Amino acid sequence: MIVATVSKKSKDVIRRSRNAARPRPRGALALAMLVLAGCAAKKPPPPPPGPAEVGVVVLRAEPVALQTQLPARLSPFAVSEVRPQVAGIVQRRLFEEGSVVRAGQVLYQIDPAPYAATVEQSAAALQSAQANVETNRLKSERYGNLLKTNAVSRQDANDASAAYHQSTALVSQQFAARRSAQINLNYTTVRAPISGRIGRSAFTQGALVTTGQADALTSIQTLDPIYVDITQTSTDLLTLHKALANGQRGRGGKAFLRVSLVLEDGSAYPLTGQLTASEVTVDQTTGGVILRAIFRNPDGLLMPGMFVRATLSQGVPRSGVLVPQSAVARDVKGAATVMVVDARNKAEQRPVETADAVGNRWLVTSGLAPGDKVIVEGLANAKPGAAVHAVPAGSKPKPAAPAKPTGK
């Protein structure tokens, strides 16, 4: 009995020692770690962020040369359609198609033979008329003397005087006939009426031409100088005239009349032109007014019918305020607004009115004044009424301050 009791106690001791040697559960370990974390010192909250940094431009008043670009077409300075003034057979063509000809240069030769014969015939008729004048003059003088002695009747004397005057009139008539025949003979040599570039010939050697025919022999166009016909709406023209009358825009002297061109391929024409005239009526179908400028064209680069874009001055405002286009926002109705920094260094949304685009800036007519700070960078961070830190636009951002170490 004693041996059995000892053996049972030994088993209980061994079992408790084994339980003590087993590892503790994870839940207890996690609970201990939470207790330790709660006992540790709490970290301070991060400092509140400072005002948002925005880039601004300071507006200033400046004279602004306003320009506008309008569509335009080129037209020749002068055009002449060469037509025959006498009928006949074309014997020769004396020019090269597409070349430059001078006024008075011979272009065609029409057969002159029939017209030369007419000149000779009229010259002979003139000589005959001149011979009759002398005979009739002597007869009229003789009858006048005989009438004094009543040797001839008054009627015979009057007839002799009338014959004399008729013969002198016939001489004048024959002079005119000979001159007309000579003019027609000269017209058989077709000359260039103006200087310019000549086109292709519609008639060849041996062709029959007639007086007053509908088809021209060829055409000549004066291309140096050359006209540029610019289309501007009547509304814009009225606005410009009112602005000039109110003194809002000065003419700027000759700069107001200067015009430059952009060609069809996008390149700029090297020479500038002058605005010379304006149409006096408005096109009822388009509502546009034609303005005409004149350009030198020494190299023949400009050709009639070519489409170009003309840039012309529209005056110089006496005081203009320009704002970058990137700073202007528009709502669904098209109203323009900008964000400015007020005297309290807070962002303020301000409505503005814009007029013309000058490069990459808008001309502002109301809403802004010289000295205003307009936000052009960091607009996403600028909320109306929020404090901002204004720096000049284009400045490099300041490096972030290093984080301060936290104490235990």
Side-chain angles (χ1 to χ4, degrees):
M1 292 296 293
I2 295 173
V3 175
T5 303
V6 172
S7 177
K8 185 177 181 181
K9 289 181 178 180
S10 298
K11 290 180 180 180
D12 292 338
V13 172
I14 293 171
R15 187 182 297 110
R16 283 196 295 269
S17 62
R18 289 177 178 177
N19 292 337
R22 290 177 181 175
R24 295 180 179 180
R26 295 182 179 180
L29 179 61
L31 180 61
M33 293 179 65
L34 289 175
V35 172
L36 292 175
C39 295
K42 294 183 178 181
K43 293 182 180 179
E53 185 175 278
V54 294
V56 300
V57 293
V58 181
L59 302 183
R60 60 186 180 89
E62 56 183 306
V64 182
L66 297 180
Q67 294 181 336
T68 183
Q69 197 174 69
L70 299 171
R73 288 281 183 183
L74 300 180
S75 59
F77 182 79
V79 179
S80 175
E81 292 185 342
V82 181
R83 287 184 171 85
Q85 294 176 280
V86 292
I89 302 297
V90 177
Q91 290 184 332
R92 289 179 297 170
R93 175 172 64 86
L94 303 171
F95 67 92
E96 183 179 353
E97 295 176 324
S99 64
V100 176
V101 297
R102 301 298 177 186
Q105 180 177 334
V106 179
L107 304 179
Y108 296 92
Q109 180 61 59
I110 298 175
D111 185 10
Y115 299 97
T118 303
V119 170
E120 294 176 359
Q121 182 179 1
S122 60
L126 175 61
Q127 292 178 355
S128 176
Q130 290 173 335
N132 289 333
V133 167
E134 183 64 18
T135 300
N136 291 329
R137 183 184 67 80
L138 295 174
K139 183 177 180 180
S140 176
E141 290 177 356
R142 185 170 63 253
Y143 273 48
N145 294 330
L146 293 175
L147 180 62
K148 296 176 182 179
T149 59
N150 294 324
V152 293
S153 66
R154 181 173 297 276
Q155 182 63 45
D156 292 338
N158 291 339
D159 291 342
S161 178
Y164 168 66
H165 288 93
Q166 288 177 354
S167 62
T168 57
L170 182 59
V171 169
S172 299
Q173 183 178 355
Q174 293 302 327
F175 263 116
R178 188 186 66 174
R179 183 179 179 184
S180 177
Q182 185 63 51
I183 291 175
N184 289 334
L185 177 61
N186 295 338
Y187 281 159
T188 59
T189 302
V190 181
R191 301 179 182 272
I194 62 173
S195 299
R197 189 172 295 277
I198 194 167
R200 63 182 182 86
S201 177
F203 292 82
T204 61
Q205 181 177 350
L208 173 64
V209 295
T210 58
T211 306
Q213 64 183 28
D215 297 329
L217 299 176
T218 187
S219 62
I220 304 172
Q221 301 182 45
T222 300
L223 305 181
D224 185 20
I226 193 170
Y227 283 133
V228 178
D229 293 332
I230 308 165
T231 304
Q232 186 178 38
T233 63
S234 57
T235 304
D236 292 341
L237 193 60
L238 286 175
T239 302
L240 176 60
H241 286 171
K242 289 180 180 179
L244 293 173
N246 296 334
Q248 297 176 2
R249 301 182 185 181
R251 285 188 176 272
K254 293 183 178 180
F256 180 76
L257 303 176
R258 190 172 295 116
V259 183
S260 58
L261 294 182
V262 177
L263 303 180
E264 290 178 325
D265 60 354
S267 62
Y269 186 65
L271 302 179
T272 58
Q274 292 292 114
L275 198 63
T276 59
S278 172
E279 187 60 76
V280 296
T281 57
V282 178
D283 192 333
Q284 296 181 3
T285 58
T286 63
V289 180
I290 300 298
L291 307 179
R292 171 161 281 186
I294 188 170
F295 277 76
R296 289 296 312 278
N297 188 28
D299 299 329
L301 184 62
L302 302 179
M303 295 179 290
M306 181 183 291
F307 174 81
V308 294
R309 297 196 66 83
T311 303
L312 63 154
S313 171
Q314 288 196 345
V316 180
R318 300 183 184 277
S319 179
V321 175
L322 296 175
V323 62
Q325 293 182 359
S326 60
V328 179
R330 297 186 183 273
D331 57 18
V332 293
K333 296 182 179 180
T337 58
V338 297
M339 296 293 289
V340 299
V341 179
D342 60 14
R344 299 176 299 172
N345 288 329
K346 291 186 177 182
E348 175 189 354
Q349 189 176 34
R350 189 177 299 177
V352 296
E353 292 184 4
T354 59
D356 301 276
V358 182
N360 61 349
R361 298 185 292 176
W362 287 110
L363 175 65
V364 178
T365 56
S366 66
L368 294 174
D372 286 342
K373 299 177 181 179
V374 177
I375 301 176
V376 296
E377 296 174 353
L379 285 169
N381 301 325
K383 306 299 181 182
V388 293
H389 175 59
V391 297
S395 301
K396 294 183 179 180
K398 295 181 179 180
K404 296 182 180 179
T406 58
K408 293 183 180 179

